[in-house]
């Protein structure tokens, strides 16, 4: 009988990391979670334990701290790392680029260095659709040329992809997959874990749910004059559980030795564009609510439209987004209500 595989999840107390931990455990993997809790809560790990009924190991570790990271590699036996740990606010990255380059790149290089030192083979990197910038042709495929990043955050994703590609080429026994996410939304159906931003949310759906809960007075929709069907930006909103399942498929591909070459890239989205206004009105409809929202001027750095061609992930990974936008927005509201005690 094949031994269980163990996966180290850096940033595993975060939004995507916690949901991925749940799906990995459900698929028969063991997980070890590390996080420095700079933008996450230990309650997320407790939520994962409650959902799965497993007492998963969790250590407070900053992946920029090489000594602390080395102790984790020495303590636990795993063959795969999923690296989520990174700062992720686009606007903040523009204001504080050095903070983003230092944290996002050093933390990732430390992970790769430890993989090399300890002979661990598989790195799964949390990338982003921001690498495409304002693409000339839509939907974007993995072969769509990357445009110059519109923010230091986006640049760290491009650079980390390049670091992983080059290291996989250079070092025997190292394999990498980069998953380019589009717009993760929603929460676990149990409402035990979800997206809980600190301070003012940077993403649309938490701002929507907080406005519905009365935490925010008004939701601003930035730009209603884009060349899109209703004038608002088009995005590819993917349910967080679907996104987590894509990681399971990628881990399985790596651990079963099915990769074509040493470095692969996959888009992870639904393949269906949804406008900002459409998302807001769908949220209102499925939850029986009326949101206080207003149209506001365009926001610097926003591209008018981007969505994924997911055929490569569908065919090669055997993964496909399954959750409807309606169900996703119901789960987001159930999570918000639980957090706020509503």
């Amino acid at each position: 009988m094949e031994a269980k595989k163990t996966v180290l999840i850096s940033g595993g107390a975060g939004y995507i990391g916690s949901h991925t931990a749940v799906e990995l455990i459900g698929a028969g993997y063991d997980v070890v979670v590390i996080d420095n809790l700079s933008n996450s809560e230990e309650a997320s790990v407790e939520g994962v334990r409650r959902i799965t009924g497993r007492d998963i190991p969790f250590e407070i570790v900053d992946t920029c701290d090489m000594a602390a990271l080395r102790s984790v590699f020495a303590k636990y036996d795993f063959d795969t790392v999923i690296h989520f740990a990174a700062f992720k606010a686009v606007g903040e990255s523009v204001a504080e680029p050095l903070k983003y380059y230092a944290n996002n790149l050093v933390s990732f290089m430390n992970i790769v260095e430890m993989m090399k030192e300890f002979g661990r083979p598989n790195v799964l990197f949390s990338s982003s659709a921001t690498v495409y910038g304002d693409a000339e042709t839509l939907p974007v495929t993995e072969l769509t040329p990357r445009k110059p990043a519109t923010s230091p955050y986006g640049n760290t994703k491009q650079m980390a992809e390049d670091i992983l590609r080059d290291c996989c080429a250079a070092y025997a026994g190292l394999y990498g997959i980069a998953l380019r996410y589009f717009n993760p939304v929603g929460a676990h159906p149990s409402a035990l874990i979800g997206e809980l931003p600190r301070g003012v949310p940077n993403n649309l759906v938490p701002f929507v749910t907080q406005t519905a809960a009365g935490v925010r007075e008004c939701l601003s929709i930035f730009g209603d004059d884009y060349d899109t069907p209703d004038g608002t930006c088009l995005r590819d909103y993917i349910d967080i559980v679907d996104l987590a399942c894509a990681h399971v498929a990628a881990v399985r591909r790596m651990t079963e030795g099915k990769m074509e070459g040493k470095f692969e890239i996959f888009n992870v989205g639904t393949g269906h564009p949804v406008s900002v206004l459409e998302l807001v009105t769908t949220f209102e409809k499925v939850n029986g609510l009326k949101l206080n929202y207003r149209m506001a001027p365009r926001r610097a750095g926003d591209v008018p439209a981007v969505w994924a061609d997911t055929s490569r992930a569908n065919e090669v990974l055997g993964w496909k987004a399954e959750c409807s936008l309606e169900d996703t927005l119901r789960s987001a509201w159930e999570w918000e209500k639980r957090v706020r005690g509503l």
Side-chain angles (χ1 to χ4, degrees):
M1 184 176 173
E2 187 183 8
K4 270 191 177 179
K5 302 289 196 304
T6 301
V7 179
L8 176 72
I9 306 177
S10 74
Y15 176 43
I16 305 175
S18 59
H19 287 81
T20 299
V22 168
E23 297 309 314
L24 281 168
I25 292 167
Y29 293 86
D30 290 324
V31 302
V32 176
V33 170
I34 60 172
D35 201 299
N36 68 357
L37 301 179
S38 66
N39 192 33
S40 56
E41 307 291 340
E42 194 164 349
S44 297
V45 181
E46 192 51 46
V48 173
R49 289 172 175 147
R50 287 180 63 187
I51 293 166
T52 62
R54 296 272 291 278
D55 186 19
I56 59 174
F58 170 60
E59 304 214 9
I60 299 175
V61 170
D62 188 332
T63 47
C64 286
D65 182 341
M66 184 71 96
L69 193 58
R70 184 177 280 110
S71 71
V72 169
F73 273 74
K75 183 175 179 178
Y76 298 100
D77 186 19
F78 48 85
D79 58 2
T80 303
V81 174
I82 305 180
H83 183 65
F84 292 111
F87 295 147
K88 61 178 186 177
V90 171
E92 183 187 52
S93 78
V94 174
E96 300 187 64
L98 282 178
K99 174 181 176 179
Y100 273 67
Y101 288 121
N103 182 76
N104 292 8
L105 296 179
V106 170
S107 65
F108 183 58
M109 288 190 289
N110 284 351
I111 289 282
V112 177
E113 180 67 34
M114 288 298 94
M115 300 297 284
K116 182 168 162 277
E117 184 175 313
F118 283 83
R120 310 288 170 81
N122 305 317
V123 183
L124 183 53
F125 176 64
S126 165
S127 193
S128 165
T130 57
V131 302
Y132 295 115
D134 190 359
E136 289 172 14
T137 350
L138 293 169
V140 292
T141 75
E142 290 81 358
L143 297 177
T144 297
R146 296 184 322 187
K147 290 288 196 71
T150 57
S151 69
Y153 163 76
N155 208 17
T156 65
K157 292 300 185 185
Q158 290 186 347
M159 293 168 77
E161 281 189 3
D162 293 344
I163 289 166
L164 183 55
R165 179 200 63 215
D166 293 346
C167 289
C168 288
Y171 305 132
L174 184 67
Y175 296 83
I177 290 179
L179 296 184
R180 291 174 176 168
Y181 315 151
F182 283 71
N183 293 72
V185 289
H188 192 268
S190 67
L192 288 170
I193 54 174
E195 189 170 10
L196 188 61
R198 291 184 179 174
V200 179
N202 291 297
N203 297 332
L204 175 61
V205 171
F207 217 112
V208 166
T209 58
Q210 288 187 15
T211 303
V215 178
R216 306 287 159 197
E217 186 180 337
C218 182
L219 168 71
S220 294
I221 295 177
F222 298 106
D224 62 354
D225 58 349
Y226 288 101
D227 184 16
T228 61
D230 63 17
T232 66
C233 289
L234 292 175
R235 295 290 182 266
D236 189 335
Y237 296 100
I238 177 167
D239 185 87
I240 187 64
V241 176
D242 279 339
L243 176 58
C245 289
H247 291 79
V248 178
V251 167
R252 188 177 289 122
R253 181 169 173 80
M254 298 178 105
T255 56
E256 293 179 358
K258 293 180 177 176
M259 289 179 63
E260 298 164 3
K262 299 192 68 191
F263 175 65
E264 296 180 333
I265 294 167
F266 296 94
N267 283 339
V268 185
T270 66
H272 302 294
V274 173
S275 78
V276 173
L277 185 58
E278 185 184 349
L279 182 138
V280 169
T281 54
T282 302
F283 178 87
E284 290 181 320
K285 182 180 175 183
V286 299
N287 294 305
L289 297 164
K290 187 63 185 163
L291 284 175
N292 182 27
Y293 65 87
R294 67 180 180 90
M295 296 301 174
R298 292 186 183 193
R299 188 171 53 179
D302 280 345
V303 299
V306 63
W307 68 92
D309 179 327
T310 61
S311 52
R312 177 168 157 76
N314 301 159
E315 293 158 16
V316 178
L317 285 183
W319 166 91
K320 188 172 174 49
E322 295 176 356
C323 193
S324 70
L325 181 63
E326 289 79 4
D327 286 344
T328 298
L329 295 177
R330 282 190 198 97
S331 73
W333 180 230
E334 290 303 314
W335 160 251
E336 187 72 38
K337 287 194 292 185
R338 180 180 168 273
V339 169
R340 305 294 168 190
L342 299 175

